[in-house]
Each structure stands twice: as C-alpha cells, then as structure tokens.
Amino acid sequence: MADKSYLRWPFFDDRHRALADRLEAWAGPALADPHHGDLDATCRALVAALGTAGFLAEAVPEAGAQALDVRSLCLVRETLARHSALADFAFAMQGLGTGSISLFGTDAQRARYLPAVGAGRAIAAFALSEPDAGSDVAAMAMSATPVPGGWRLDGVKTWISNGGIADHYVLFARVGNVPGTKGIAAFIVDAKTPGLQIAERIEVIAPHPLATLRFENCVVPETALLGQPGEGFKIAMATLDIFRPTVGAAALGMARRAFDDALTRAKSRIIGGKPLADQQLIQAKLADMALQIDAAALLVYRAAWTRDVEQRRITREAAMAKLYATEAAQRVIDDAVQIFGGLGVKQGVKVEELYREIRALRIYEGASEVQKLIIARQTLQEIAP
C-alpha cells in the first residue's frame, strides 16, 4: 500500500483528500487488469470509463479556467500512474488537449468542446512539436495564412499524443512574417477537417497513441482561432505551466509503485539465509528511494498549491517539480529493477513496465535540460538589479 501520509500536509483541503480516497477506491478494481490488444480501443475505453466515473471533470471543467485545480490534477495523475500509466495518459491528454480552451477560449468554444471531452465522449490532443521545433518552439514552421472566412494551415506536427484517435487538436502555427515566439497563433482543429492527414503512427517503447500529422491546404473557420494572432506562445506556455507539475505527479505515482514493489521484494527475497532487506546496501537504496519520493512530492505539491492558492504563474516552480520528480522517479525505478534482480527485466513484471514508461516523462512537455534553462532564467530574473 502506497504511503498516504502526505495527504495530511497543509497543501491539501478536505476535498482533495476525499478525491484521493474516491479515486483510489475506483482505480483498484477498474484498473486491476493489464491492458492488451488494440491500443487505440483501450485508450478510448479508458477515456470513457474516466468520464463515466466523473474524474475527467477535474481536468476538463465546464466552467473553464476558474475551475482548474492543479492539486486535484496532480492527485489524480499520481494515483492513476501508480495503477496504470496508460490510464494516467488517457486522463492527462484530456486535460492538456483542452487546457488552452479552458484558459483562453471563448464561451462558444468552451461550450462546443469541453462538455464532450469531460464526459469521455470525445478525445483531445495538443499539437505543438514539429520535426525541427520541439524544445525550440521559436523554430516553428507550421504556417497559418488568412483566407476569406478563416485560415489555411500548412505544415507538419509530430510526436503528437492521441494523434490518430483525437476528435480535435489544439494546434500552434506561425502567422505572418513575425519571427520567433511573437508570431505564433493557436487554433482548434477538428480531426475530420479536410487537409489534415495522419502521416505516420509512431511506435515507442511504452505503447501510447502517437502520430505525425500533415496539414496541406487545411482550411479552418475564423472561429477556430484561440485567443488573438501572436498569443499562441503565451497560450502554450500558460497551459504547460499548469500541466508540467502534473507530469511530475505522474512520475511520483510511478516511483511510489516501484518503491512499494521493491519493499515487498526486499522483504520476501532470501539471500544468504536472510531477507534482502537486511542487507545494508539494500537499506541504503531504500533510504535513497524514500528520500527522493518525499522530495519530489514536496516540489510537485508546492507548485500546485502556489498556482491554486496564490493564483499566479508558476513557471519556475513547475519546472523544478517536473525536472526533479521525473529524474528522481527514473532513479527510484532503476533501483527497484536492481532489487528485483533478473525478474526486474522480465516482461509482465510491473517494475519492468515502469522502467519503460518513466523514460518519456523526462522528455515530453519540456526535456530535463530545458527545465534547467527555465529554472536558471527565472532565478536570474528574480535577482536582477
């Protein structure tokens, strides 16, 4: 059983504790069986189940930005990731794919997209990365050209989560000849829009629906514009500010599961006539794992509390939470595999699955190296004369 003592920390209200208890009671039986077979069908089923159970309302509030509670998002992601990384993915992408609409959409845009996604009847996606513009958003080449009644989109997006199964994409493109980040706009593009093609489905070490999207003479109406032309970078970064701590929360959930399984293994595995847990080298590993998990939790929920309570941008806090929690989870899971020995690399064993699942979290929504640059830049700005 994962440690729940952190729920008594002052970061949380009673409603957060109630949410954690309700989700834990649901996730145990609902996510007990591993997912096999058709990946797309499994993701759709998970989205529908999360919507029916009411948990997607935490990520896709119909009331818009005012109802987004980052502590709730983090608690849900941590709990789901501890049970099933794919369930966490299904939940997170519903939020990320509508977060920009919640924050910056018009009432009409919110009414059109949020209810169906929040109920699990539609699937959302966030399309920012390009072949030559991942960490460097300023290098974006996707173009949006004004045409009568709307905009024409041309270009390629890649590494798009839910690509191929999404019902809509929040997409970012360059407008006009303004260089850098000031020339970017955001659009909501329905998946069936002519000119939008799924160019490639991407297979990765931990199966998730990913794709490359190609836009050729893809015309969207004026109502597809999210915010104003030139506000796209601000919209993307404000959305990531909210969801980056939740990536740390997902990593935290994976680390907790690996730690729990490692503790059980260390207590039950007998080497030299005594449990592995009696070996001082193993105790040192367990101590390091416990320390890193608590430190990650403090950073994740510090960032979430700051956003919720102080109602301000958390660029620095979010970067710290995402960086430390994902890097720490990688180390914790690696140590868990080591404690399991050969069994730790056997398919079907949870720590082997976690070892594959955790790796991408250090890359997506801003690689660890990018988070270090963000932290340094924000810190230098704060102490500038």
Side-chain angles (χ1 to χ4, degrees), residues 7-21 71 75:
L7 289 171
R8 298 195 296 270
W9 292 353
F11 292 125
F12 304 107
D13 301 328
D14 287 343
R15 62 192 172 91
H16 298 114
R17 300 179 185 99
L19 171 64
D21 289 343
R71 287 168 293 176
L75 283 171

Side-chain angles (χ1 to χ4, degrees), residues 25-285:
W26 176 85
L31 304 176
D33 296 327
H35 306 292
H36 298 291
D38 188 327
L39 177 63
D40 291 356
T42 297
C43 286
R44 290 190 180 97
L46 285 168
V47 167
L50 287 163
T52 300
F55 295 114
L56 288 180
E58 304 298 337
V60 195
E62 291 187 29
Q66 291 75 21
L68 273 172
D69 184 89
V70 185
R71 287 168 293 176
S72 296
L73 288 170
C74 288
L75 283 171
V76 174
R77 290 204 67 178
E78 178 185 336
T79 302
L80 290 176
R82 184 160 43 80
H83 287 275
S84 164
L86 200 57
D88 163 64
F89 169 88
F91 172 83
M93 286 312 305
Q94 294 295 90
L96 185 61
T98 54
S100 299
I101 303 173
S102 294
L103 290 168
F104 297 96
T106 63
D107 289 342
Q109 288 170 331
R110 290 174 181 170
R112 178 176 177 181
Y113 292 100
L114 299 189
V117 176
R121 298 191 306 270
I123 294 178
F126 183 82
L128 180 65
S129 295
E130 297 182 5
D132 297 314
S135 298
D136 183 10
V137 177
M140 184 177 296
M142 166 77 70
S143 66
T145 305
V147 296
W151 299 82
R152 189 187 74 233
L153 304 173
D154 295 282
V156 175
K157 294 292 182 181
T158 193
W159 301 111
I160 306 307
S161 294
N162 277 346
I165 68 171
D167 294 285
H168 81 257
Y169 299 88
V170 170
L171 174 130
F172 299 85
R174 186 169 300 285
V175 293
N177 296 316
V178 181
T181 59
K182 294 182 179 180
I184 297 172
F187 299 87
I188 311 168
V189 183
D190 292 334
K192 294 182 180 180
T193 305
L196 165 55
Q197 306 171 33
I198 307 303
E200 177 191 13
R201 292 297 297 269
I202 304 170
E203 296 185 5
V204 290
I205 58 174
H208 295 78
L210 289 167
T212 297
L213 314 178
R214 179 173 289 111
F215 296 80
E216 294 181 354
N217 195 28
C218 178
V219 177
V220 297
E222 192 68 44
T223 55
L225 180 66
L226 191 57
Q228 298 298 317
E231 291 185 341
F233 182 76
K234 178 185 75 172
I235 290 171
M237 293 305 106
T239 305
L240 292 176
D241 264 5
I242 288 176
F243 284 92
R244 272 179 177 154
T246 78
V247 180
L252 179 60
M254 294 182 194
R256 288 196 196 277
R257 176 61 183 270
F259 185 51
D260 290 346
D261 288 4
L263 284 172
T264 300
R265 177 68 170 170
K267 290 177 180 178
S268 62
R269 186 182 183 189
I270 305 300
I271 292 183
K274 59 182 180 179
L276 191 60
D278 288 351
Q279 305 286 346
Q280 287 187 335
L281 286 174
I282 298 302
Q283 290 178 1
K285 281 187 181 296

